[in-house]
Amino acid sequence: MSEEVDVDFDVIVIGGGVAGAVCAYTLAQQGREVLLVERGAEPGSKNLSGGVFYCRVMEKVFPDFVNIAPVERRITRNCVSLINDSSFVNIDYWDQRLSEPANAVTVLRVKLDAWLLEQCEEAGVTVMPGVKVDSLITEGTQIVGVRAGEDELRCHVVVAADGVNSFIAQDAGIRAKEPMKHLAVGVKSVIGLPRKVLEDRFNVRGNEGVAYAMVGDCTKGVAGGGFLYTNEESVSIGVVMRLDDLEASGLSSSDIHDHLLQHPAIAPLLEDGQLLEYGCHLTIEDGSAMTAHDLTRPGLIIIGDAAGFTLNTGLTIRGMDLAAGSALAAAGAIQKAFGVMDFSQEAMDVYRSLLDASFVGKDMATYAKAPAFLERPRMYKDYGKLAADVFYGVFNHDLTPRRHLRAVGLDALKASGLKMTQIMGDVFAGIRAL
């Protein structure tokens, strides 16, 4: 049991993204005195402009979230695209059931983060933007507050939601700087298009939208992929590449991004659009490796990207829903700790048990092998061309006699240089990973 001590706040949350805001809001709703410290001068100013948010977890926090929050479009079409230098093969899936209840929405983080922090303030959270936390305050092994410049603020629990390169996690000795293999760089543009033009080009109407996951020539063979999704009156498009593979390739991330935008499969979708935003951002490539670390210390809990809660399965990229789920688990553990006024290591470790029982922990475990599967070079160089060659053999009616699909496929396989044992090994690895 912790001794009674004077504190400035019950809980200090570091970072005003989805994870930090959801945790702070939930604790304030439960009657806690919460300070949320955000390094950015404006909400969302440090976040590259948005993403696809698998948003059903937010209904637990903000009932009717998709109708009251500043979301862009509901994703009802998902396209997986194998991109080659002069061809592409798409799997295009549309389903109106994904619209109601909303499964995923596109968001622009500048808008969303500002709204989330407004909700926090209305719930009683003290929001302090433009403040950089320099270090933790410890007494023995117990973390009891934070230092920001010359100021010291004391609390019972610190929640670190300070992003991929979490200084707080490093300051607490929980992890060292992550190796490049665990990280990726994302480069994104937001291209403005008139609403009718956008809806006609992407075959969407009303509040529905589309998300593309691309692999292959979009990254010039570097491990990673491309993405595109529709907002209300803009398109977000870019690439995410594993840092170690990008460095080994000798290529520039900005040049690869520009290559995608100029690709003949992509350029017509963006024609006459206006560049609204451009930027790059460090992200997580192997979240499972990062979450294997301890996520707590006495008086400290780490959530969101700072803890490694990101999943890339090749079909979907998830981060915001996992961030929100980890925030709810943290809030649950903290509320239990206040029930007995115990903020020891054992009390903080309740967070891990709540995580493991939630969709966050279960999904991280389910897809733990996905990063290793996505390391296979054939994913980025060979399979797209093989698929295109098969379809070319089917649709290219050049006046030669037609052959059965089996013969067309075998010829394409022979020309690819791939061995059936390699393909079967990749198929089984994919089944195990996904």
PDB file of all heavy atoms in Angstrom, residues 59 62 66 93 106 140 166 186 193 201 207 209 222 254 263 290 302 311 319 334 339 372 387 427 430:
ATOM      1  N   GLU A  59     -16.924   3.419 -29.687  1.00  0.00           N
ATOM      2  CA  GLU A  59     -18.311   3.488 -29.224  1.00  0.00           C
ATOM      3  C   GLU A  59     -18.395   3.207 -27.719  1.00  0.00           C
ATOM      4  O   GLU A  59     -19.334   3.646 -27.058  1.00  0.00           O
ATOM      5  CB  GLU A  59     -19.178   2.485 -29.990  1.00  0.00           C
ATOM      6  CG  GLU A  59     -19.273   2.747 -31.489  1.00  0.00           C
ATOM      7  CD  GLU A  59     -20.070   4.005 -31.830  1.00  0.00           C
ATOM      8  OE1 GLU A  59     -20.912   4.411 -31.000  1.00  0.00           O
ATOM      9  OE2 GLU A  59     -19.836   4.576 -32.911  1.00  0.00           O
ATOM     10  N   PHE A  62     -17.213   6.931 -26.545  1.00  0.00           N
ATOM     11  CA  PHE A  62     -18.097   8.005 -27.010  1.00  0.00           C
ATOM     12  C   PHE A  62     -19.253   7.371 -27.791  1.00  0.00           C
ATOM     13  O   PHE A  62     -19.124   7.116 -28.996  1.00  0.00           O
ATOM     14  CB  PHE A  62     -17.344   8.975 -27.918  1.00  0.00           C
ATOM     15  CG  PHE A  62     -16.104   9.552 -27.303  1.00  0.00           C
ATOM     16  CD1 PHE A  62     -14.847   9.084 -27.668  1.00  0.00           C
ATOM     17  CD2 PHE A  62     -16.178  10.557 -26.352  1.00  0.00           C
ATOM     18  CE1 PHE A  62     -13.692   9.614 -27.111  1.00  0.00           C
ATOM     19  CE2 PHE A  62     -15.038  11.088 -25.785  1.00  0.00           C
ATOM     20  CZ  PHE A  62     -13.790  10.616 -26.162  1.00  0.00           C
ATOM     21  N   VAL A  66     -19.226   7.725 -34.529  1.00  0.00           N
ATOM     22  CA  VAL A  66     -19.073   8.042 -35.952  1.00  0.00           C
ATOM     23  C   VAL A  66     -19.974   9.187 -36.396  1.00  0.00           C
ATOM     24  O   VAL A  66     -19.737   9.793 -37.444  1.00  0.00           O
ATOM     25  CB  VAL A  66     -19.330   6.805 -36.848  1.00  0.00           C
ATOM     26  CG1 VAL A  66     -18.275   5.742 -36.614  1.00  0.00           C
ATOM     27  CG2 VAL A  66     -20.721   6.245 -36.631  1.00  0.00           C
ATOM     28  N   TYR A  93     -13.038  -5.608 -52.836  1.00  0.00           N
ATOM     29  CA  TYR A  93     -14.122  -6.114 -51.996  1.00  0.00           C
ATOM     30  C   TYR A  93     -14.976  -4.955 -51.500  1.00  0.00           C
ATOM     31  O   TYR A  93     -14.487  -4.056 -50.815  1.00  0.00           O
ATOM     32  CB  TYR A  93     -13.542  -6.894 -50.815  1.00  0.00           C
ATOM     33  CG  TYR A  93     -14.522  -7.172 -49.689  1.00  0.00           C
ATOM     34  CD1 TYR A  93     -15.648  -7.958 -49.903  1.00  0.00           C
ATOM     35  CD2 TYR A  93     -14.307  -6.661 -48.419  1.00  0.00           C
ATOM     36  CE1 TYR A  93     -16.544  -8.212 -48.868  1.00  0.00           C
ATOM     37  CE2 TYR A  93     -15.188  -6.916 -47.372  1.00  0.00           C
ATOM     38  CZ  TYR A  93     -16.309  -7.697 -47.613  1.00  0.00           C
ATOM     39  OH  TYR A  93     -17.193  -7.938 -46.597  1.00  0.00           O
ATOM     40  N   THR A 106     -12.243   6.823 -42.240  1.00  0.00           N
ATOM     41  CA  THR A 106     -11.037   7.604 -42.438  1.00  0.00           C
ATOM     42  C   THR A 106     -11.114   8.856 -41.574  1.00  0.00           C
ATOM     43  O   THR A 106     -12.189   9.416 -41.354  1.00  0.00           O
ATOM     44  CB  THR A 106     -10.841   7.988 -43.912  1.00  0.00           C
ATOM     45  OG1 THR A 106     -12.038   8.583 -44.424  1.00  0.00           O
ATOM     46  CG2 THR A 106     -10.507   6.760 -44.738  1.00  0.00           C
ATOM     47  N   GLY A 140      13.144   6.103  -5.004  1.00  0.00           N
ATOM     48  CA  GLY A 140      13.439   4.680  -4.946  1.00  0.00           C
ATOM     49  C   GLY A 140      13.114   4.065  -6.295  1.00  0.00           C
ATOM     50  O   GLY A 140      13.635   4.480  -7.324  1.00  0.00           O
ATOM     51  N   SER A 166       9.290   6.435 -27.822  1.00  0.00           N
ATOM     52  CA  SER A 166       8.907   6.857 -26.476  1.00  0.00           C
ATOM     53  C   SER A 166      10.124   7.137 -25.602  1.00  0.00           C
ATOM     54  O   SER A 166      10.827   6.223 -25.157  1.00  0.00           O
ATOM     55  CB  SER A 166       8.038   5.789 -25.806  1.00  0.00           C
ATOM     56  OG  SER A 166       7.767   6.149 -24.465  1.00  0.00           O
ATOM     57  N   GLY A 186       6.996   6.230 -42.898  1.00  0.00           N
ATOM     58  CA  GLY A 186       5.857   6.475 -43.774  1.00  0.00           C
ATOM     59  C   GLY A 186       5.974   7.849 -44.400  1.00  0.00           C
ATOM     60  O   GLY A 186       6.328   8.821 -43.730  1.00  0.00           O
ATOM     61  N   LEU A 193      -9.382  16.840 -53.940  1.00  0.00           N
ATOM     62  CA  LEU A 193     -10.185  16.631 -55.138  1.00  0.00           C
ATOM     63  C   LEU A 193     -11.614  17.089 -54.846  1.00  0.00           C
ATOM     64  O   LEU A 193     -12.119  16.863 -53.731  1.00  0.00           O
ATOM     65  CB  LEU A 193     -10.218  15.159 -55.547  1.00  0.00           C
ATOM     66  CG  LEU A 193      -8.937  14.535 -56.107  1.00  0.00           C
ATOM     67  CD1 LEU A 193      -9.091  13.024 -56.224  1.00  0.00           C
ATOM     68  CD2 LEU A 193      -8.596  15.139 -57.465  1.00  0.00           C
ATOM     69  N   ARG A 201     -14.508   8.918 -59.456  1.00  0.00           N
ATOM     70  CA  ARG A 201     -13.275   8.165 -59.728  1.00  0.00           C
ATOM     71  C   ARG A 201     -13.183   6.898 -58.893  1.00  0.00           C
ATOM     72  O   ARG A 201     -12.676   5.871 -59.353  1.00  0.00           O
ATOM     73  CB  ARG A 201     -12.047   9.038 -59.462  1.00  0.00           C
ATOM     74  CG  ARG A 201     -11.804  10.071 -60.535  1.00  0.00           C
ATOM     75  CD  ARG A 201     -10.508  10.817 -60.288  1.00  0.00           C
ATOM     76  NE  ARG A 201     -10.362  11.889 -61.259  1.00  0.00           N
ATOM     77  CZ  ARG A 201      -9.390  12.776 -61.261  1.00  0.00           C
ATOM     78  NH1 ARG A 201      -8.442  12.691 -60.341  1.00  0.00           N
ATOM     79  NH2 ARG A 201      -9.346  13.729 -62.167  1.00  0.00           N
ATOM     80  N   ASN A 207     -21.510   8.846 -47.705  1.00  0.00           N
ATOM     81  CA  ASN A 207     -20.418   8.862 -46.722  1.00  0.00           C
ATOM     82  C   ASN A 207     -19.509   7.639 -46.841  1.00  0.00           C
ATOM     83  O   ASN A 207     -18.689   7.393 -45.968  1.00  0.00           O
ATOM     84  CB  ASN A 207     -20.979   8.966 -45.296  1.00  0.00           C
ATOM     85  CG  ASN A 207     -21.871   7.782 -44.925  1.00  0.00           C
ATOM     86  OD1 ASN A 207     -21.951   6.798 -45.662  1.00  0.00           O
ATOM     87  ND2 ASN A 207     -22.550   7.867 -43.783  1.00  0.00           N
ATOM     88  N   GLY A 209     -16.501   5.177 -48.436  1.00  0.00           N
ATOM     89  CA  GLY A 209     -15.164   5.401 -48.956  1.00  0.00           C
ATOM     90  C   GLY A 209     -14.467   4.094 -49.260  1.00  0.00           C
ATOM     91  O   GLY A 209     -14.989   3.009 -49.022  1.00  0.00           O
ATOM     92  N   VAL A 222      11.158  -2.519 -52.050  1.00  0.00           N
ATOM     93  CA  VAL A 222      11.551  -2.399 -50.643  1.00  0.00           C
ATOM     94  C   VAL A 222      10.436  -2.987 -49.776  1.00  0.00           C
ATOM     95  O   VAL A 222       9.241  -2.791 -50.054  1.00  0.00           O
ATOM     96  CB  VAL A 222      11.795  -0.923 -50.270  1.00  0.00           C
ATOM     97  CG1 VAL A 222      12.074  -0.780 -48.767  1.00  0.00           C
ATOM     98  CG2 VAL A 222      12.966  -0.361 -51.073  1.00  0.00           C
ATOM     99  N   SER A 254      11.450   9.623 -50.159  1.00  0.00           N
ATOM    100  CA  SER A 254      10.651  10.607 -50.894  1.00  0.00           C
ATOM    101  C   SER A 254      10.583  10.266 -52.380  1.00  0.00           C
ATOM    102  O   SER A 254       9.534  10.453 -53.023  1.00  0.00           O
ATOM    103  CB  SER A 254      11.225  12.015 -50.708  1.00  0.00           C
ATOM    104  OG  SER A 254      12.575  12.073 -51.145  1.00  0.00           O
ATOM    105  N   HIS A 263       2.889   6.454 -60.819  1.00  0.00           N
ATOM    106  CA  HIS A 263       2.665   5.135 -61.424  1.00  0.00           C
ATOM    107  C   HIS A 263       1.424   5.188 -62.319  1.00  0.00           C
ATOM    108  O   HIS A 263       0.419   5.807 -61.962  1.00  0.00           O
ATOM    109  CB  HIS A 263       2.481   4.084 -60.331  1.00  0.00           C
ATOM    110  CG  HIS A 263       2.540   2.685 -60.830  1.00  0.00           C
ATOM    111  ND1 HIS A 263       1.486   2.066 -61.476  1.00  0.00           N
ATOM    112  CD2 HIS A 263       3.540   1.765 -60.790  1.00  0.00           C
ATOM    113  CE1 HIS A 263       1.823   0.846 -61.806  1.00  0.00           C
ATOM    114  NE2 HIS A 263       3.066   0.625 -61.404  1.00  0.00           N
ATOM    115  N   MET A 290       7.952  -5.288 -29.914  1.00  0.00           N
ATOM    116  CA  MET A 290       8.015  -4.187 -28.956  1.00  0.00           C
ATOM    117  C   MET A 290       7.141  -4.458 -27.733  1.00  0.00           C
ATOM    118  O   MET A 290       7.528  -4.152 -26.609  1.00  0.00           O
ATOM    119  CB  MET A 290       7.604  -2.883 -29.631  1.00  0.00           C
ATOM    120  CG  MET A 290       8.589  -2.432 -30.707  1.00  0.00           C
ATOM    121  SD  MET A 290       8.018  -0.999 -31.648  1.00  0.00           S
ATOM    122  CE  MET A 290       8.008   0.276 -30.383  1.00  0.00           C
ATOM    123  N   ILE A 302       2.581   2.201 -19.919  1.00  0.00           N
ATOM    124  CA  ILE A 302       2.874   2.642 -21.292  1.00  0.00           C
ATOM    125  C   ILE A 302       1.786   2.116 -22.220  1.00  0.00           C
ATOM    126  O   ILE A 302       1.438   0.936 -22.183  1.00  0.00           O
ATOM    127  CB  ILE A 302       4.257   2.148 -21.742  1.00  0.00           C
ATOM    128  CG1 ILE A 302       5.321   2.653 -20.763  1.00  0.00           C
ATOM    129  CG2 ILE A 302       4.573   2.636 -23.148  1.00  0.00           C
ATOM    130  CD1 ILE A 302       6.698   2.139 -21.057  1.00  0.00           C
ATOM    131  N   LEU A 311      -0.376  -3.083 -35.824  1.00  0.00           N
ATOM    132  CA  LEU A 311      -0.396  -4.340 -36.574  1.00  0.00           C
ATOM    133  C   LEU A 311      -0.440  -4.058 -38.066  1.00  0.00           C
ATOM    134  O   LEU A 311      -1.283  -3.286 -38.534  1.00  0.00           O
ATOM    135  CB  LEU A 311      -1.633  -5.165 -36.203  1.00  0.00           C
ATOM    136  CG  LEU A 311      -1.573  -6.006 -34.936  1.00  0.00           C
ATOM    137  CD1 LEU A 311      -2.933  -6.638 -34.672  1.00  0.00           C
ATOM    138  CD2 LEU A 311      -0.506  -7.090 -35.054  1.00  0.00           C
ATOM    139  N   GLY A 319      -3.645   0.730 -35.886  1.00  0.00           N
ATOM    140  CA  GLY A 319      -2.919   1.366 -34.805  1.00  0.00           C
ATOM    141  C   GLY A 319      -3.855   2.091 -33.858  1.00  0.00           C
ATOM    142  O   GLY A 319      -3.801   1.904 -32.641  1.00  0.00           O
ATOM    143  N   ILE A 334      -5.644   1.410 -13.595  1.00  0.00           N
ATOM    144  CA  ILE A 334      -5.414   2.571 -12.723  1.00  0.00           C
ATOM    145  C   ILE A 334      -6.579   2.754 -11.760  1.00  0.00           C
ATOM    146  O   ILE A 334      -6.385   3.036 -10.565  1.00  0.00           O
ATOM    147  CB  ILE A 334      -5.189   3.831 -13.575  1.00  0.00           C
ATOM    148  CG1 ILE A 334      -3.852   3.724 -14.315  1.00  0.00           C
ATOM    149  CG2 ILE A 334      -5.234   5.092 -12.715  1.00  0.00           C
ATOM    150  CD1 ILE A 334      -3.654   4.762 -15.397  1.00  0.00           C
ATOM    151  N   GLY A 339      -8.608   2.160  -6.100  1.00  0.00           N
ATOM    152  CA  GLY A 339      -9.549   1.539  -5.183  1.00  0.00           C
ATOM    153  C   GLY A 339      -8.902   1.082  -3.891  1.00  0.00           C
ATOM    154  O   GLY A 339      -9.547   1.056  -2.829  1.00  0.00           O
ATOM    155  N   ALA A 372       7.322 -11.344 -39.748  1.00  0.00           N
ATOM    156  CA  ALA A 372       8.296 -12.258 -40.354  1.00  0.00           C
ATOM    157  C   ALA A 372       7.828 -12.726 -41.725  1.00  0.00           C
ATOM    158  O   ALA A 372       8.624 -12.835 -42.670  1.00  0.00           O
ATOM    159  CB  ALA A 372       8.529 -13.451 -39.437  1.00  0.00           C
ATOM    160  N   ALA A 387       1.025 -13.071 -61.103  1.00  0.00           N
ATOM    161  CA  ALA A 387      -0.426 -12.933 -61.234  1.00  0.00           C
ATOM    162  C   ALA A 387      -0.798 -12.197 -62.511  1.00  0.00           C
ATOM    163  O   ALA A 387      -1.728 -12.587 -63.232  1.00  0.00           O
ATOM    164  CB  ALA A 387      -0.980 -12.186 -60.020  1.00  0.00           C
ATOM    165  N   VAL A 427       2.773 -19.895 -48.998  1.00  0.00           N
ATOM    166  CA  VAL A 427       1.334 -20.045 -48.726  1.00  0.00           C
ATOM    167  C   VAL A 427       1.118 -20.534 -47.298  1.00  0.00           C
ATOM    168  O   VAL A 427       0.288 -19.988 -46.548  1.00  0.00           O
ATOM    169  CB  VAL A 427       0.675 -21.021 -49.744  1.00  0.00           C
ATOM    170  CG1 VAL A 427      -0.714 -21.405 -49.278  1.00  0.00           C
ATOM    171  CG2 VAL A 427       0.623 -20.379 -51.117  1.00  0.00           C
ATOM    172  N   GLY A 430       1.948 -17.858 -44.864  1.00  0.00           N
ATOM    173  CA  GLY A 430       0.897 -16.867 -44.832  1.00  0.00           C
ATOM    174  C   GLY A 430      -0.316 -17.331 -44.030  1.00  0.00           C
ATOM    175  O   GLY A 430      -0.913 -16.556 -43.276  1.00  0.00           O
TER     176      GLY A 430
END
